[in-house]
Amino acid sequence: MKAYEQTLTLLKTLSLRGVAKSLDEVINDAEIRKVSYITLLNTIFDTEVSYRIKRRVERNMAGAHFPVLKKIDNFDFGRVKGIGKSEVVNLLDCRWVDNRENLLFFGPPGVGKTHLSIALGVTAVERGYKVCFERIANLIKLLKTADIQKTAEYRIRRIMKSDLIIIDEIGYTPIEKREANLFFNLISESYEKVSLIVTSNKSFESWAEMMGDSIMTTALLDRLLHHARVFNLDGESYRIKNHNKEV
Ligand code: ADP
Ligand code: MG
């Protein structure tokens, strides 16, 4: 076997796919620049590490289940009250995820709650964190079927092993008592272990009514609000504003 082919076989055996993909480039570059053996070795390992990090971010981006991709750069802070650009820029370092803090976004429809949540989630994935995005309606469906459906069980397991869970659209649909209990258990289990972003169009006061159990809702909010930053957004709906512009 030729040396080159042997290298490729060895790389395959060791699952060093990053090096295998860039082998020609790495070798040619080393020959042109006449680098030392140790420099070449470092380049080889570095190539593999970079490849693995990139692959992991791609996998985590897909596994997050973002409904669309949104960026902070495309968010117009002039259109919304209750949050400033500098506050959000400070959040981009993700220290709040390390500290297991929660972010709660409240406000009427169309003010950018989901946009900001996704943008922060995408940044967290890019920085190496594991993130799961779910609308509350789907989260509850998953919780209800996790016992009987493998895909739901798998998803819930990924959610619980995430660094950040984004729960969107609390308040749009009423939640039955049993469902609220399942939701409470999830929040309780993730308490101080996982960061949360929660968005809601309803203020805290209406949550008890929505969940049909004031004692449980108090306990739920207690956990959510401990180590949390609350943003009460307000403004004209971006959807309606843009619609009017088009009409
Ligand atoms: P909400 O979740 O509060 O109902 P969304 O985040 O879904 O609102 O926003 C609705 C649409 O308007 C999305 O396409 C979003 O990207 C856009 N949008 C909302 N607010 C802004 C903003 N301040 N700057 C740019 N786009 C915005
Ligand atoms: Mg939304």
Side-chain angles (χ1 to χ4, degrees):
M1 200 191 289
K2 286 200 193 104
Y4 179 79
E5 276 155 22
Q6 193 182 359
T7 307
L8 284 180
T9 309
L10 288 169
L11 290 174
K12 204 171 171 195
T13 308
L14 290 168
S15 298
L16 297 174
R17 289 207 201 98
V19 184
K21 266 178 175 280
S22 316
L23 187 61
D24 290 349
E25 205 181 303
V26 169
I27 298 294
N28 289 343
D29 188 62
E31 279 173 357
I32 292 166
R33 292 196 296 126
K34 305 213 181 325
V35 297
S36 65
Y37 294 131
I38 195 73
T39 303
L40 175 59
L41 264 182
N42 284 341
T43 307
I44 288 170
F45 290 131
D46 202 41
T47 303
E48 184 62 29
V49 170
S50 306
Y51 174 79
R52 288 188 183 189
I53 291 172
K54 188 167 157 268
R55 279 296 307 274
R56 202 180 63 209
V57 168
E58 283 166 4
R59 263 201 316 275
N60 283 344
M61 203 65 89
H65 290 189
F66 295 118
V68 281
L69 288 187
K70 295 283 178 186
K71 289 182 161 185
I72 292 293
D73 294 348
N74 306 330
F75 194 80
D76 181 356
F77 286 90
R79 303 190 109 158
V80 59
K81 288 187 222 100
I83 195 159
K85 185 165 186 181
S86 62
E87 278 170 294
V88 176
V89 168
N90 279 334
L91 293 172
L92 296 178
D93 67 8
C94 295
R95 275 216 349 256
W96 59 281
V97 183
D98 291 328
N99 297 336
R100 308 282 178 259
E101 288 176 58
N102 302 333
L103 307 181
L104 312 185
F105 293 111
F106 290 90
V111 290
K113 301 183 295 297
T114 303
H115 185 131
L116 288 169
S117 306
I118 293 173
L120 288 165
V122 167
T123 305
V125 171
E126 284 166 354
R127 287 180 173 259
Y129 297 93
K130 206 167 180 181
V131 178
C132 278
F133 180 102
E134 291 295 346
R135 291 196 184 95
I136 182 84
N138 196 51
L139 179 64
I140 284 174
K141 201 162 110 195
L142 289 168
L143 289 168
K144 278 164 85 176
T145 51
D147 292 342
I148 48 168
Q149 206 185 41
K150 273 269 168 277
T151 50
E153 186 200 343
Y154 183 77
R155 183 66 182 162
I156 292 293
R157 220 181 303 146
R158 188 183 198 277
I159 289 171
M160 293 313 294
K161 279 199 284 185
S162 295
D163 301 298
L164 167 64
I165 310 172
I166 302 175
I167 305 169
D168 198 25
E169 294 189 350
I170 296 184
Y172 282 110
T173 43
I175 300 172
E176 285 170 25
K177 204 161 172 173
R178 187 175 91 85
E179 298 173 338
N181 259 310
L182 289 168
F183 180 55
F184 174 75
N185 287 342
L186 179 122
I187 299 298
S188 205
E189 273 173 49
S190 60
Y191 177 61
E192 293 192 328
K193 282 192 261 177
V194 185
S195 274
L196 297 168
I197 294 182
V198 168
T199 82
S200 180
N201 63 328
K202 289 222 165 73
S203 64
F204 293 137
E205 296 79 52
S206 338
W207 279 34
E209 191 188 328
M210 173 180 72
M211 303 213 177
D213 183 333
S214 62
I215 294 172
M216 194 215 60
T217 308
T218 307
L220 176 82
L221 288 173
D222 205 49
R223 283 161 179 75
L224 276 184
L225 286 168
H226 192 202
H227 323 293
R229 302 185 208 189
V230 180
F231 298 96
N232 290 300
L233 308 184
D234 202 5
E236 199 185 329
S237 165
Y238 201 88
R239 292 189 192 97
I240 294 172
K241 210 170 200 168
N242 275 13
H243 177 73
N244 288 346
K245 232 193 303 180
E246 278 161 31
V247 173

